Amino acid sequence: MSTVHSWSFLAGKRILDLSRLLPGPFATSLLADLGAEVIKIEDPDGGDPARAHREHFSNLNRNKRSVTLDLRSPADRSALLRLVKGADAVVESFRPGVLDKIGVGYEVLSRANPGIVLCSLTGYGQSGPYADKPGHELNFLGQSGFFAVPSRPDGQVLRPGVRVGDLIGSMYAALALSVALASAERAGQGQHIDLSLTEAATAWCAPYVFPLRHLDDATDSTTVQGDNDSFTTADGRVLSLATFEDKFWHSFRTALSDEFPQLGTTAYDRRAARTAAKREVGELLVGVFASRDYAWWEKRLTELNVPWGPVYTDAAQLLGDPHTQARAMFADIPDPATGTSSPQVRFPVRFGLGMETFRDPAPGLGEHNDEVLGGSQGEPGAVSESNPAAQ
């Protein structure tokens, strides 16, 4: 495995990842990018089901190692506990109580290593009336309040194609793990993190839902605006306009009123007036943007220096964006398992001390069994010097 940046607090932290599919692996991919040693514990019979979608799997599991253990086997459970002795954290996404049933719940893990941090990602948490309820991302997002917050005057709220209901929880998990790892290092005492994906999404959505509780029509919210939206041009391209501040609206309408007389009115020059007339303003702009092609609007709006941008509707547009190219946001990463390469997106923060996202490709199933399970002394789970509580 490549050398990890030594400045990162996570460098040398060993995380055993029992999770699969999206939420857990995305959380640990963030930590792996930032320097943690993530060991992916997979079932020998096929491993993470996400392996069936190779490109997606590669994005979620770079910079990790793979070990196969059958947790139904007493011998493999013992091997896991030996690994726990030298680890700093364990991440899992089983239904509540499953780890306890197979004999590797938090109490067992903490006896093996008092400093261990266990992060459990579930749909609804470890307790409560929904704890044992099955669910997936759309269920969690639906109960979070997401669909209660309209973004357009027509009140329509569509399900996002990106699985935000999972990814929100993943980000909270990575943050919570980082804090818990720092605490464990200082105090020598681990803890069990109970992360509900629904609650994580609710934490994002609730502050936008609460102000709507006294409105008969949620689209009356001041956050719904006719001039803060996406619009289709004459040639079918889509762009966004966000003239939230009065100065931008004024610049936009006055510069274009000769070509579009309907923009010549002063009636909407104040934010409050535009919001009150959101439907009229939205309809006005739909007609205006539909009368010219994208290239025309790109030139004029750039000249006006108002808040606008392209709305990308396919991968080629995203990959070809000159700004993301200049910022080296994407890289074409070879996959040793297939002999092909595919684009990946780097960790989206630039650190002054440097951080190399693309260090190692996603591992093959069980690729590191000998290296990890053999241990430095020929025993599984050699104790890590980064975890004094395990020694």
Side-chain angles (χ1 to χ4, degrees):
M1 195 168 189
S2 301
T3 302
V4 181
H5 303 288
S6 59
W7 64 263
S8 172
F9 165 77
L10 292 171
K13 298 296 181 187
R14 174 176 279 195
I15 299 172
L16 307 180
D17 186 3
L18 306 180
S19 68
R20 56 186 198 162
L21 296 174
L22 177 57
F26 182 64
T28 56
S29 77
L30 299 177
L31 301 176
D33 280 356
L34 291 171
E37 177 195 5
V38 177
I39 300 174
K40 191 172 178 67
I41 309 294
E42 301 185 75
D43 192 303
D45 185 15
D48 188 337
R51 286 185 176 276
H53 309 281
R54 188 65 199 182
E55 188 169 324
H56 184 66
F57 179 84
S58 296
N59 272 274
L60 287 174
N61 292 284
R62 63 180 176 232
N63 303 324
K64 300 179 184 179
R65 293 188 283 178
S66 172
V67 165
T68 53
L69 291 175
D70 182 354
L71 297 184
R72 294 161 295 191
S73 158
D76 281 7
R77 289 198 298 273
S78 295
L80 174 67
L81 291 176
R82 290 195 292 273
L83 286 177
V84 166
K85 292 180 180 179
D88 298 279
V90 174
V91 175
E92 61 98 5
S93 56
F94 294 108
R95 297 269 286 276
V98 168
L99 283 190
D100 288 320
K101 288 179 182 177
I102 62 177
V104 288
Y106 176 66
E107 295 302 321
V108 174
L109 298 180
S110 62
R111 284 200 296 271
N113 178 356
I116 200 71
V117 174
L118 173 63
C119 180
S120 297
L121 292 88
T122 58
Y124 304 102
Q126 299 293 306
S127 61
Y130 299 155
D132 294 324
K133 182 180 176 181
H136 285 294
E137 185 266 351
L138 181 58
N139 310 126
F140 312 147
L141 199 62
Q143 291 179 246
S144 73
F146 175 87
F147 292 94
V149 184
S151 59
R152 309 185 70 167
D154 63 10
Q156 189 174 24
V157 184
L158 301 176
R159 176 191 178 180
V162 176
R163 299 297 188 253
V164 295
D166 283 340
L167 298 176
I168 294 169
S170 300
M171 296 175 73
Y172 276 110
L175 175 62
L177 275 162
S178 297
V179 173
L181 285 169
S183 174
E185 181 178 88
R186 182 178 62 188
Q189 178 62 51
Q191 60 179 300
H192 188 185
I193 298 171
D194 173 6
L195 190 141
S196 157
L197 296 171
T198 302
E199 290 173 357
T202 300
W204 272 27
C205 299
Y208 294 91
V209 177
F210 293 159
L212 307 178
R213 66 191 185 279
H214 300 307
L215 299 178
D216 293 329
D217 183 349
T219 63
D220 288 337
S221 168
T222 58
T223 62
V224 179
Q225 300 155 359
D227 58 323
N228 185 13
D229 209 338
S230 58
F231 302 94
T232 303
T233 61
D235 54 350
R237 293 282 301 275
V238 183
L239 58 79
S240 63
L241 181 75
T243 51
F244 182 82
E245 296 96 335
D246 292 341
K247 64 180 181 180
F248 290 126
W249 173 263
H250 191 264
S251 296
F252 172 79
R253 77 158 188 84
T254 55
L256 296 170
S257 57
D258 287 344
E259 289 141 307
F260 305 100
Q262 60 268 49
L263 292 175
T265 178
T266 62
Y268 310 130
D269 278 358
R270 296 293 186 185
R271 173 72 266 159
R274 291 198 300 285
T275 300
K278 62 188 71 177
R279 292 167 183 81
E280 293 85 349
V281 171
E283 291 171 2
L284 183 157
L285 291 175
V286 166
V288 166
F289 281 108
S291 66
R292 299 288 191 278
D293 64 20
Y294 180 86
W296 191 92
W297 282 114
E298 181 179 35
K299 182 175 184 298
R300 292 304 306 274
L301 294 174
T302 300
E303 291 171 348
L304 291 175
N305 198 31
V306 295
W308 84 281
V311 173
Y312 295 143
T313 55
D314 62 49
Q317 293 172 334
L318 178 62
L319 290 166
D321 181 275
H323 188 76
T324 58
Q325 289 183 345
R327 298 272 295 176
M329 191 68 183
F330 308 118
D332 209 34
I333 305 300
D335 185 345
T338 64
T340 61
S341 61
S342 59
Q344 290 190 19
V345 58
R346 65 168 169 80
F347 191 86
V349 178
R350 286 188 163 188
F351 295 91
L353 293 178
M355 173 60 70
E356 181 186 356
T357 297
F358 309 112
R359 301 189 302 276
D360 295 289
L365 180 62
E367 179 180 340
H368 302 94
N369 278 4
D370 290 342
E371 176 186 338
V372 175
L373 295 178
S376 60
Q377 303 299 322
E379 296 180 0
V383 173
S384 166
E385 292 182 359
S386 68
N387 191 347
Q391 299 188 37

